[in-house]
Amino acid sequence: MFRASALAASWTLLIFAFMYFPVAVILIFSLNDSEIIAFPLQGLTLRWYESVVSDGRLGGGFATTLMVAFPAAILSTFLGALAALALTRYEMKMKLKLVFAILLLLPFLIPKLILAVAQLILLSELGVARNLVTVTLGQVIVILPFTTLVVASVLVRIDRRLEEAAVDLGASAWSVFRRVTLPLMRNGLVAAMFIAFVLSSSEVVLTTFLSGRAQPLSLLVASDFRFAISPALNALAVLIVTGNIALVLVGEAIRRRSERGTG
Amino acid sequence: MSRIGNWLAAPVAAVLVALCLAPLAVLFAYSFFQVDFVTISTDPTLKNYARIAGSATYRALIGHAFLSGAVVVAITALIGYPVAWFIARRGGVRKSALLTLLLVPLYTGDMVRIFAWRVILGAEGVLNRLFLWLGLIDQPLQVLLFSPVASHLVLVYNYLPFMVIGLWLGFEALDERLTEAARDLGAPAREVFRRVTLPLTLPGLIAGGMMVFVLVVGDHLTPQLLGGASGVTVISAINDLFGTAFDWPLGSAIACTLLATLGLCCALAAFALSRTELGRSLAAGEA
């Protein structure tokens, strides 16, 4: 028994090492003082990071990314919250609920490229030009399943008795929501927004098809990462990974805090 | 007052219909059109589907996609089982920390992940240079990058967390006392797994497997950027028909064929899932 446990522990450690191996490699070589990405290491440098930070083209792409990611995060969190409330909080016919849940999962299960070309055909049929709005809406639909899940994970942990007590004390449905449910789910909303922001800023396939002439950072780096390999790109990749992981972890920490608050 | 849920769900459903179902409906309609010189003729025809059915290439591409999906499902299940079991047996803080650590790599972004693997696996990459430096090889290993091995390795890497999450949910629902009872009654470890653990965690395996399968079949970037000559997939064929080849109707027909077969697979998985739930509730009723 103990042996099986120890085996599973070392196996798990190995798998986690595998999951973080690529990140570790680009981190190590982004700090290595050599044009050549190879062992043995040649000493510590920050010059690769300097060259990324001084690249003006990337700054413009970053601004475009923010113009898409903020509205996409807010909209997908709002819709995700509505969906999560409908699924976990208020009554709906069981069959209707099932259909609604499948509909929500659909954008996650359908190959992104197929969804992208389908949206492309619809836009061309409607004669709508592709721009930052179309790419934002396209992203919202693939992010929605994730934000719904994050908000729902907080909602299912809220003690229903708190809401029932408010009803017993004569509060209307709206005031129960505004004064009891909403404050308790607020952390879930913030966490969902962080995750939506990360998913939006790193989305490539939908963005390629729907952004038109605008070039968000994800597309700029996609063409770099596709064809070239260099220590400067390592540094860029590390900056992106660090930014994404930091946002996700902050979101996770906020979500957890709500667990403790209500647990 | 009653049925507030419907009112909350309605706007979300409307957005899903407008941005997901409506585009798919138009895609479906396009699959019956055909290209006439540079315009698209809207006279309905089944020619595109006939072309797919008659073309060994397209049939093979769809077959390959499903084979890739099955292979990655099998590998992730095999290496994921011990991880899921280990995580399910941890308590409180450690469990949630492990789950977070497992999911964090999903948020690094597709392009960054693919880039990192190219740095590792390339002919001039970290692994090859390390092996050369250590004197294990004289020539860089070409098979490491731009090969089916590379693309499947990274597909496993990309989607392993989804499998582990599915299996973990399966283990959370498993009553540890049942495996203990089997062991106490003298069943060897393999039999305990085959006759108790596997059947009882099957719902998790099916759910995780279904997610991994559809995600692998739908993955565009990984095979294209890491698979080399093997990187031509049914998804990249659709991409080409919408890009350079400019045959939207045929591309739509292939996409619809793929979606229909994927839908069938999901329906089968959902059916299997309902059967296991049924089996479980029956078992619970007997106990």
Side-chain angles (χ1 to χ4, degrees):
Chain A
M1 195 50 230
F2 276 117
R3 231 184 37 193
S5 238
L7 266 177
S10 15
W11 181 254
T12 304
L13 191 68
L14 198 70
I15 294 295
F16 275 72
F18 170 63
M19 294 310 292
Y20 284 87
F21 177 60
V23 179
V25 167
I26 53 172
L27 177 64
I28 289 168
F29 286 104
S30 72
L31 296 166
N32 184 31
D33 195 5
S34 164
E35 292 279 349
I36 301 163
I37 304 174
F39 290 106
L41 298 173
Q42 304 293 328
L44 210 60
T45 179
L46 282 176
R47 67 180 156 128
W48 308 123
Y49 287 93
E50 279 163 29
S51 78
V52 171
V53 175
S54 59
D55 189 339
R57 188 182 57 114
L58 294 175
F62 189 59
T64 313
T65 292
L66 293 184
M67 280 160 64
V68 173
F70 271 117
I74 290 167
L75 196 55
S76 59
T77 302
F78 174 69
L79 292 172
L82 290 184
L85 281 167
L87 287 171
T88 64
R89 235 45 202 167
Y90 298 97
E91 71 261 47
M92 250 176 108
K93 278 207 190 89
M94 209 48 217
K95 247 190 193 149
L96 214 58
K97 204 176 251 192
L98 190 69
V99 171
F100 183 57
I102 292 173
L103 193 61
L104 269 172
L105 265 180
L106 218 52
F108 171 70
L109 294 176
I110 289 176
K112 265 191 208 149
L113 187 114
I114 294 183
L115 192 60
V117 295
Q119 290 175 333
L120 178 73
I121 302 180
L122 184 64
L123 289 176
S124 87
E125 279 292 310
L126 296 174
V128 177
R130 288 173 284 163
N131 53 34
L132 292 184
V133 177
T134 55
V135 74
T136 306
L137 291 176
Q139 287 185 354
V140 163
I141 213 77
V142 292
I143 298 171
L144 186 54
F146 292 89
T147 51
T148 306
L149 197 66
V150 172
V151 178
S153 77
V154 170
L155 280 176
V156 294
R157 287 202 169 84
I158 297 179
D159 192 343
R160 271 185 190 268
R161 285 171 301 183
L162 294 171
E163 287 155 329
E164 283 160 15
V167 173
D168 290 346
L169 293 170
S172 67
W174 168 246
S175 105
V176 170
F177 172 73
R178 197 175 57 84
R179 300 175 70 167
V180 181
T181 317
L182 186 61
L184 289 172
M185 71 188 278
R186 188 161 285 148
N187 287 336
L189 296 178
V190 176
M193 223 174 297
F194 275 87
I195 282 173
F197 186 91
V198 169
L199 289 173
S200 160
S201 62
S202 50
E203 173 56 48
V204 181
V205 176
L206 275 171
T207 312
T208 311
F209 277 91
L210 299 175
S211 68
R213 267 182 308 178
Q215 289 260 303
L217 192 63
S218 61
L219 293 192
L220 288 176
V221 302
S223 60
D224 285 349
F225 284 154
R226 201 175 282 237
F227 301 113
I229 282 181
S230 77
L233 285 179
N234 276 336
L236 177 60
V238 169
L239 288 177
I240 294 172
V241 168
T242 314
N244 285 357
I245 291 182
L247 285 175
V248 169
L249 288 180
V250 169
E252 233 344 78
I254 293 171
R255 195 177 68 89
R256 286 278 160 71
R257 212 172 55 192
S258 78
E259 264 172 40
R260 236 178 306 152
T262 59
Chain B
M1 170 60 217
S2 64
R3 302 283 178 217
I4 296 176
N6 293 349
W7 290 104
L8 291 169
V12 185
V15 170
L16 283 162
V17 168
L19 298 178
C20 183
L21 290 189
L24 290 178
V26 179
L27 183 87
F28 186 59
Y30 257 72
S31 71
F32 297 104
F33 298 165
Q34 61 178 319
V35 175
D36 196 5
F37 295 109
V38 287
T39 58
I40 286 170
S41 141
T42 55
D43 291 330
T45 167
L46 284 172
K47 266 190 190 154
N48 297 312
Y49 288 102
R51 249 177 96 182
I52 297 167
S55 152
T57 320
Y58 291 134
R59 285 203 312 264
L61 283 178
I62 292 178
H64 271 185
F66 282 73
L67 188 65
S68 279
V71 167
V72 176
V73 167
I75 297 175
T76 51
L78 216 59
I79 63 180
Y81 248 107
V83 179
W85 182 68
F86 182 78
I87 294 177
R89 287 170 55 94
R90 297 308 101 186
V93 185
R94 281 174 139 194
K95 181 183 301 190
S96 42
L98 281 172
L99 286 171
T100 306
L101 271 177
L102 179 77
L103 293 179
V104 158
L106 288 179
Y107 294 102
T108 52
D110 297 329
M111 286 314 297
V112 169
R113 258 180 294 182
I114 286 169
F115 170 77
W117 281 107
R118 279 183 49 218
V119 168
I120 294 166
L121 300 173
E124 306 269 283
V126 173
L127 275 188
N128 263 322
R129 285 188 191 265
L130 183 68
F131 290 159
L132 283 170
W133 183 53
L134 293 173
L136 294 175
I137 50 173
D138 312 322
Q139 293 286 320
L141 293 172
Q142 298 294 341
V143 66
L144 285 181
L145 190 61
F146 304 129
S147 68
V149 178
S151 64
H152 284 84
L153 173 76
V154 178
L155 286 170
V156 167
Y157 176 84
N158 282 349
Y159 302 118
L160 180 63
F162 292 97
M163 177 60 90
V164 175
I165 288 293
L167 291 174
W168 166 69
L169 288 170
F171 274 112
E172 286 293 322
L174 168 75
D175 189 343
E176 218 31 72
R177 285 172 303 182
L178 293 174
T179 51
E180 270 167 37
R183 256 193 310 275
D184 291 345
L185 292 171
R190 237 172 74 191
E191 285 297 293
V192 175
F193 181 78
R194 197 175 66 83
R195 297 175 62 169
V196 181
T197 312
L198 186 61
L200 289 176
T201 53
L202 200 59
L205 178 64
I206 295 173
M210 195 182 85
M211 270 193 290
V212 172
F213 186 78
V214 294
L215 291 170
V216 170
V217 171
D219 194 317
H220 171 47
L221 297 170
T222 308
Q224 194 203 6
L225 298 177
L226 297 170
S230 75
V232 179
T233 60
V234 62
I235 293 288
S236 76
I238 297 170
N239 181 45
D240 291 346
L241 286 167
F242 274 87
T244 45
F246 203 73
D247 191 340
W248 289 16
L250 182 61
S252 302
I254 298 175
C256 289
T257 311
L258 186 66
L259 283 183
T261 28
L262 270 180
L264 195 68
C265 290
C266 286
L268 283 176
F271 176 69
L273 206 60
S274 72
R275 288 289 295 273
T276 60
E277 294 292 349
L278 190 70
R280 272 171 59 186
S281 54
L282 282 180
E286 280 166 21

